[in-house]
Amino acid sequence: MIQVIAVTHDSKKVTYTNLDELDITLYKWCWIDFNMPTHEEIDELHNYFHFHPLAIEDCVHRLQRPKLDYYDDFTFFVTHVINPDDFTKEEINFFVGSNFVVSFHYQNFNQINQVWNRLISTDIIKDWDQYHCFYEVLDKIVDQYFPIIYKIEDVLNEIEDNTENKSMDILLDELFDIRHQLLTLRHTVNPMRDLLYRMLNSQHLEGIKRKVPYFSDIYDHLLKLSEMVDSNREITMDIRDSYISMNSHQANQVMKILTIITSIFAPLTFIAGIYGMNFEYMPELTMKYGYFISLGLMGIIALLMFFWFKRKGWF
Amino acid sequence: MIQVIAVTHDSKKVTYTNLDELDITLYKWCWIDFNMPTHEEIDELHNYFHFHPLAIEDCVHRLQRPKLDYYDDFTFFVTHVINPDDFTKEEINFFVGSNFVVSFHYQNFNQINQVWNRLISTDIIKDWDQYHCFYEVLDKIVDQYFPIIYKIEDVLNEIEDNTENKSMDILLDELFDIRHQLLTLRHTVNPMRDLLYRMLNSQHLEGIKRKVPYFSDIYDHLLKLSEMVDSNREITMDIRDSYISMNSHQANQVMKILTIITSIFAPLTFIAGIYGMNFEYMPELTMKYGYFISLGLMGIIALLMFFWFKRKGWF
Amino acid sequence: MIQVIAVTHDSKKVTYTNLDELDITLYKWCWIDFNMPTHEEIDELHNYFHFHPLAIEDCVHRLQRPKLDYYDDFTFFVTHVINPDDFTKEEINFFVGSNFVVSFHYQNFNQINQVWNRLISTDIIKDWDQYHCFYEVLDKIVDQYFPIIYKIEDVLNEIEDNTENKSMDILLDELFDIRHQLLTLRHTVNPMRDLLYRMLNSQHLEGIKRKVPYFSDIYDHLLKLSEMVDSNREITMDIRDSYISMNSHQANQVMKILTIITSIFAPLTFIAGIYGMNFEYMPELTMKYGYFISLGLMGIIALLMFFWFKRKGWF
Amino acid sequence: MIQVIAVTHDSKKVTYTNLDELDITLYKWCWIDFNMPTHEEIDELHNYFHFHPLAIEDCVHRLQRPKLDYYDDFTFFVTHVINPDDFTKEEINFFVGSNFVVSFHYQNFNQINQVWNRLISTDIIKDWDQYHCFYEVLDKIVDQYFPIIYKIEDVLNEIEDNTENKSMDILLDELFDIRHQLLTLRHTVNPMRDLLYRMLNSQHLEGIKRKVPYFSDIYDHLLKLSEMVDSNREITMDIRDSYISMNSHQANQVMKILTIITSIFAPLTFIAGIYGMNFEYMPELTMKYGYFISLGLMGIIALLMFFWFKRKGWF
Amino acid sequence: MIQVIAVTHDSKKVTYTNLDELDITLYKWCWIDFNMPTHEEIDELHNYFHFHPLAIEDCVHRLQRPKLDYYDDFTFFVTHVINPDDFTKEEINFFVGSNFVVSFHYQNFNQINQVWNRLISTDIIKDWDQYHCFYEVLDKIVDQYFPIIYKIEDVLNEIEDNTENKSMDILLDELFDIRHQLLTLRHTVNPMRDLLYRMLNSQHLEGIKRKVPYFSDIYDHLLKLSEMVDSNREITMDIRDSYISMNSHQANQVMKILTIITSIFAPLTFIAGIYGMNFEYMPELTMKYGYFISLGLMGIIALLMFFWFKRKGWF
Ligand SMILES: [Mg+2]
Ligand SMILES: [Mg+2]
Ligand SMILES: [Mg+2]
Ligand SMILES: [Mg+2]
Ligand SMILES: [Mg+2]
Ligand SMILES: [Mg+2]
Ligand SMILES: [Mg+2]
Ligand SMILES: [Mg+2]
Ligand SMILES: [Mg+2]
Ligand SMILES: [Mg+2]
Ligand SMILES: [Mg+2]
Ligand SMILES: [Mg+2]
Ligand SMILES: [Mg+2]
Ligand SMILES: [Mg+2]
Ligand SMILES: [Mg+2]
Ligand SMILES: [Mg+2]
Ligand SMILES: [Mg+2]
Ligand SMILES: [Mg+2]
Ligand SMILES: [Mg+2]
Ligand SMILES: [Mg+2]
Ligand SMILES: [Mg+2]
Ligand SMILES: [Mg+2]
Ligand SMILES: [Mg+2]
Ligand SMILES: [Mg+2]
Ligand SMILES: [Mg+2]
Ligand SMILES: [Mg+2]
Ligand SMILES: [Mg+2]
Ligand SMILES: [Mg+2]
Ligand SMILES: [Mg+2]
Ligand SMILES: [Mg+2]
Ligand SMILES: [Mg+2]
């Protein structure tokens, strides 16, 4: 579906639903939105706009990092929307020219619709131009990264506290899934941050220079997001190390108990074994207090063992 | 609450408690402090000062990193005060213009009050201007980071020495809490350091250039703090690694004891078991010295085991 | 084998199969391909083209990183093709001059053949020049890195899920082989990326400047590849850490079972041993309910042990 | 104690022991040394020299990193001397102006005294100026870092070889102390290195530019020291990892012995236990060769176990 | 021993074996080689050449990193030769001036001798100058780093495959020795690489600018070497991690066997112990099938244990 808002030089809005009757040279600026376009509509990128084939290729194919490319008569931007449920990424592409912005996306995004509707319904159109439309959509895209990382932080806190008493296996699995998600997030947030940095420091983008506080506000958000991602990755590593340390300490404790029990009972059981032997001539067996002496001996050995481990500081 | 100190061109101080009667153009410079402002007072950022809406948004909302933003007729600064008890961060925001500084904060901070009172009570006002007020508050904010990190170093030393003989679980938990606190601290100290660096090297801030030794003194402190934070994080890692190494070495020792005890007593108990069997025809049982020969055999086996482990260097 | 396509100033194509009759100064541009050259053919690099001996040395010998070298009348490029089966690297070298490109390689590569055939069979030759030939081959070389890393990602996913239930030894071995392959890949992808970066930002390469969108498209691919390699190396580390954590947790569980079993049965077996002794005077043995009392005692001890471990949270 | 060497324009030396009669404007250059100054002497920094209060504050207080600060009429340097015994750091501060150098320190340092005495006793004073005095002291300060790191390397070699056969606990404790010391050293060496780098590349320090080979010789030493510190920290990590690997391998060996012993004797002891039971009707007990058959059975089981572990490659 | 080759302006070679009769100003360029010089010969650095005392100090003393220093009338270079047997480093120093190169070394190096002999025996002297001599020696020095790292890679492959079936202790020891050697190598290769980078990008070295392809060929080798060193250090880390993972996995397996054996036989031995007790009144003992019932009970317990561990997936 192709939708157009064209703004006349006296700030009136005209809308089109196809490109056949649109002559963008007549307008102050236009926003052309390719929303889930058909193959025929995609061809308009070439037939109507005559964009460079490499830009069209990047736009139409999915494997891209957020980036910008300068061409002679337009600038091409790739941005990423993250799906909070499965951490997949979807592109919104923009072609920004001297009096137009083209947005292109294979899904219907609320980030686009909200700005579109506000532009349709609002009166104050004077401050807006094609760069402001681009800014508004970008601002919404970046704002929607925050709930994703907040959710990750919640899960991390839950893993740290483990209020639901999950087993270690499940916790470790969750922890490594979080690390994976943070890695995915970083591969969107960092290129987006670099993209904004290049936009703010570019010599070629006159339209963005007039809006520096606006784009710089988005850059702030991305700097903050990038720090949050890195910091949360460090926290996952800390939790993992904490688990490993705790585990190795606990293993030590378990093994000490095992060793104490074994060390106390092995000699006792051996002594009992000796006097359970059936030799015909065993003088102790016929001694009157033989039984009690042997019990006493066992008691002494048990106490010696006990105090030896006590002095070693094992308990 | 809004409070104002306005300084006339002949260095006299006038104070106001609201903005209705204040005309800042009449004064050499003013300091307007928004201390825990009401909603009506917050609106004055727009109504009275006409600050840019994005600067007001950053000022009013809490999620910010320390930063500076240049606007046409003022510069906007976000700084962080850290609460030493729970490591939460609170913002103090500054708008610095050609003849004014506006400070804005949701809590009552002694860092602000001390400078305010000194300015009120002191006579030597000639050297002061809006930038010097800003410097004095910033200096106090940064000075109060030091006790926080000193406390962390004390806890680290305590963990290392463990004079109170806490259990390993508690020590490891404390250690990872310290790492968390250092991470939090770093996310304040490093952006603050970068903020000061940008202030010192900016082309736009004429007022700061006249005060370079002062702001550069704060920058020194932040460099030192940043190094202390990183160095303490390395020390936490060393302590953790030291724990893990010790633990794995200790586990080895425990397991050697267990193996020695088991290896000595298992064959002895087995031999005792053999002569405890009730077969009718067991020739050894009726031998005169059978019992003593079996005891001797056990002794020899025990000694062989003992010297085998001795030669292995296990004890 | 040497093959030549020479393009005349009125865009006609002439082909040669040796250099004897070729006079490159007569043509707009030529592409000379050294495909598995003989020793005599290799000598033409010096005899016919008079390339610098150091460039010829780098071309003929195999131990090179991807790179470019500027010489007075040509630029020398080394690029790497990766064999997806055994991760060996093979070089394709290029000498690009004012009206020629020489490609040189010891294997027959489809990356070269496809471009060659397309150039032979196609009519639209106007946009092509020696740099465009170079671009087309480079694009194909880089495109063929992707299936290699996709295969690695598949193996990693397979290792993570372990649907075939392989033993840990095999999984760990596969994991470290993957790390090795990623290291090999990084040593091609990163220098290739830096090579493209230098090409795009060079002051010396006028021919590449006219084709910036094309070479910059390849640079995008290499940036993406470099990120994928690093990200996959991080994932291998995560999997390894996850294995170690799981293992140390599992070892703990195993040791707890061992300790519980030992701790319950060691005292019971000891008591049974005591009443298996053959002392003549053992009062308990003649008590009527001695046997049942001893069984009861054993039951109580077993229960105490059981509940002690239960309270410790061991199961 | 304040000591002064003043050099006249015809290269004669005059010494003072207080500042009352000194007029530095009359001399070509002077060196004023504040050696363990009293409070009254410290006040001369302000009263006599009129240094900036922030420079005086940095000079008098101890918490500083090595650094330099430019002021209008002097440059202020903080340098660190390390005490080789307890790794504490002590500052020597320098104020270098157009015709003077002031050195300031709370301890009596041989680094200062040696240069002072050489300057007093030598005749060749023509090449010397305030910057050369500063260079000579700095050279001595940096030269004395080397024995400290040599000592650390000796201890590391001793830990690696362990000729004195110390216990693992002591070795690990020493290792982590070394890491701590290297961290401390790095926090002196790296800022000192950066200080020298800034001195060599500064636009403001005309006097140092005339002595570039001299200060650059010190910079070489600091580069080397910085590499030695980092390299030794890597070696400590390697030793620690080597310990952990060895330990975990040894633990494995211990556990195999334990398992072999247990696995061989557990079934044997069980069989002996069976024929030690007192059931009235146990047919094997009355068989003529029952005893020898049971011994044979035990031998077979022991051999099977033995070869099973042998085939597993456990010994 | 001092040896001189002096080249006249009409490209004739004259040789000297001391400096007494040499007047370098008469020649186009000379190469003076200090091969294992005596103290008197070392003094010529000062007496004959009047080099700066700091350059002479760096030349004569051994503790240097590869580096270059610019002086007014010469440039001073320190380069490192590595002894492949014991990984010790030996310096070759060069002083390169407007018409001379001085080489200085305490050992007799084939890198020097080969170039010297080639220069003596060859006729084509036109292209040579003092910088070309320097290049030829440097090229040989760097070429001889390669066999060292190839040997390291062979040892690493041997450690990975362990065809000689060495014990883990020996392998780990070899592995950490390799890491140590790679660290040593890096401390030569990286400064050498930086040295070449500075030479190629220097504004001061006119003679090197005329030979850029030559020195840049050496720089390529050093880049490659630096990558090989880093990559091999990563591989050592991977091997170490692989050992640790395998070990911890194996420990788990060993412990499972131990636990299974213990868990099966502990209750069986206990039951046998019970019926080995000598209580007068034990009803089971007089039951006709008491013995077989007890054997059956033991069999059932053993099977239950077996299937429990089976269901746990322990074997
Ligand atoms: Mg796309
Ligand atoms: Mg936003
Ligand atoms: Mg916003
Ligand atoms: Mg948290
Ligand atoms: Mg998972
Ligand atoms: Mg904002
Ligand atoms: Mg705010
Ligand atoms: Mg301060
Ligand atoms: Mg202060
Ligand atoms: Mg400490
Ligand atoms: Mg905690
Ligand atoms: Mg200060
Ligand atoms: Mg080659
Ligand atoms: Mg491609
Ligand atoms: Mg393509
Ligand atoms: Mg995956
Ligand atoms: Mg392998
Ligand atoms: Mg593309
Ligand atoms: Mg000080
Ligand atoms: Mg020195
Ligand atoms: Mg010296
Ligand atoms: Mg060593
Ligand atoms: Mg210690
Ligand atoms: Mg030196
Ligand atoms: Mg690690
Ligand atoms: Mg030397
Ligand atoms: Mg070479
Ligand atoms: Mg060569
Ligand atoms: Mg290998
Ligand atoms: Mg060794
Ligand atoms: Mg080469």
Side-chain angles (χ1 to χ4, degrees), chain B residues 112-138:
Chain B
I112 296 272
N113 297 342
Q114 286 173 14
V115 180
W116 188 274
N117 294 335
R118 195 167 144 220
L119 181 58
I120 290 288
S121 61
T122 193
D123 271 350
I124 15 154
I125 232 187
K126 272 187 191 149
D127 301 344
W128 286 56
D129 61 4
Q130 72 275 34
Y131 282 103
H132 197 84
C133 290
F134 178 36
Y135 154 72
E136 291 280 344
V137 176
L138 209 53

Side-chain angles (χ1 to χ4, degrees), chain D residues 213-214 220 227 231 234 238 241-242 248-249 252 255-256 259 270 276-282 284 314, chain E residues 65 67 168-169 176 179 186-187 233 240 247 250-251 254 268 272 275-278 285-286 290-291:
Chain D
Y214 291 91
D220 274 1
E227 270 186 2
S231 154
E234 290 217 35
D238 277 4
D241 286 346
S242 156
S248 95
H249 170 63
N252 243 0
M255 227 144 58
K256 282 180 178 167
T259 303
F270 167 61
M277 293 193 297
N278 298 322
F279 286 101
E280 285 188 359
Y281 179 65
M282 286 176 68
E284 298 95 325
W314 283 23
Chain E
R65 321 167 58 242
K67 67 158 185 177
M168 180 83 61
D169 298 25
F176 287 100
R179 281 184 70 75
R186 192 167 67 186
H187 286 302
R233 271 186 71 86
R240 184 204 61 198
N247 238 329
Q250 241 184 55
V254 172
L268 305 192
Y275 295 113
M277 293 194 296
N278 297 322
L285 294 183
T286 53
Y291 174 49

Side-chain angles (χ1 to χ4, degrees), chain D residues 217 220-221, chain E residues 54 57-58 64 67:
Chain D
D217 182 68
D220 274 1
H221 284 34
Chain E
L54 286 166
E57 188 190 291
D58 282 351
Q64 294 299 328
K67 67 158 185 177

Side-chain angles (χ1 to χ4, degrees), chain A residues 54-55 57-58 63-64 67 69 71, chain C residues 213 216-218 220-221:
Chain A
L54 286 166
E57 188 189 293
D58 283 351
L63 184 82
Q64 294 299 328
K67 68 159 185 176
D69 279 334
Y71 290 91
Chain C
S216 145
D217 181 67
I218 301 178
D220 275 1
H221 284 34

Side-chain angles (χ1 to χ4, degrees), chain A residues 180, chain C residues 153 156-157 160 235:
Chain A
H180 213 132
Chain C
E153 291 191 333
L156 267 184
N157 280 329
E160 233 186 328
I235 289 173

Side-chain angles (χ1 to χ4, degrees), chain A residues 213-214 220 227 231 234 238 241-242 249 252 255-256 259 270 276-282 284 314, chain B residues 54 65 67 168-169 176 179 186-187 233 240 247 250-251 254 268 272 275-278 285-286 290-291:
Chain A
Y214 292 90
D220 275 0
E227 270 186 2
S231 154
E234 290 218 34
D238 278 3
D241 286 346
S242 156
H249 170 64
N252 242 1
M255 226 146 58
K256 281 181 179 167
T259 304
F270 166 60
M277 294 193 298
N278 298 321
F279 284 102
E280 284 187 1
Y281 180 64
M282 287 177 67
E284 299 95 326
W314 283 23
Chain B
L54 286 167
R65 321 167 57 242
K67 68 159 186 174
M168 180 82 63
D169 298 26
F176 286 101
R179 281 183 70 76
R186 192 167 65 186
H187 285 303
R233 270 187 73 85
R240 185 205 61 198
N247 239 329
Q250 242 184 54
V254 172
L268 304 191
Y275 295 114
M277 294 193 297
N278 298 322
L285 294 184
T286 52
Y291 174 50

Side-chain angles (χ1 to χ4, degrees), chain D residues 1-7 13-24 27 29-35 48-49 99-103 116 119-120:
Chain D
M1 186 173 64
I2 293 179
Q3 271 183 304
V4 184
I5 298 180
V7 178
K13 282 174 283 184
V14 188
T15 57
Y16 297 84
T17 53
N18 63 57
L19 297 177
D20 301 342
E21 295 150 30
L22 173 67
D23 180 354
I24 61 173
Y27 292 98
W29 63 274
C30 326
W31 178 8
I32 304 100
D33 183 44
F34 287 67
N35 185 359
Y48 186 89
F49 291 102
N99 70 337
F100 65 87
V101 54
V102 172
S103 54
W116 188 274
L119 181 57
I120 289 288

Side-chain angles (χ1 to χ4, degrees), chain A residues 167-220:
Chain A
S167 87
M168 180 82 63
D169 297 27
I170 293 171
L171 290 178
L172 280 171
D173 205 56
E174 282 179 13
L175 192 65
F176 286 101
D177 283 352
I178 292 276
R179 282 183 70 74
H180 213 132
Q181 290 166 9
L182 286 166
L183 202 60
T184 309
L185 214 57
R186 191 167 67 186
H187 285 303
T188 291
V189 167
N190 286 6
M192 287 292 288
R193 181 196 62 196
D194 300 344
L195 170 60
L196 264 292
Y197 182 83
R198 281 187 66 200
M199 284 163 69
L200 287 167
N201 294 284
S202 168
Q203 303 303 322
H204 305 284
L205 295 167
E206 201 50 52
I208 282 171
K209 235 173 222 156
R210 289 193 311 267
K211 304 265 171 186
V212 159
Y214 292 90
F215 287 96
S216 146
D217 181 68
I218 301 178
Y219 181 58
D220 275 0

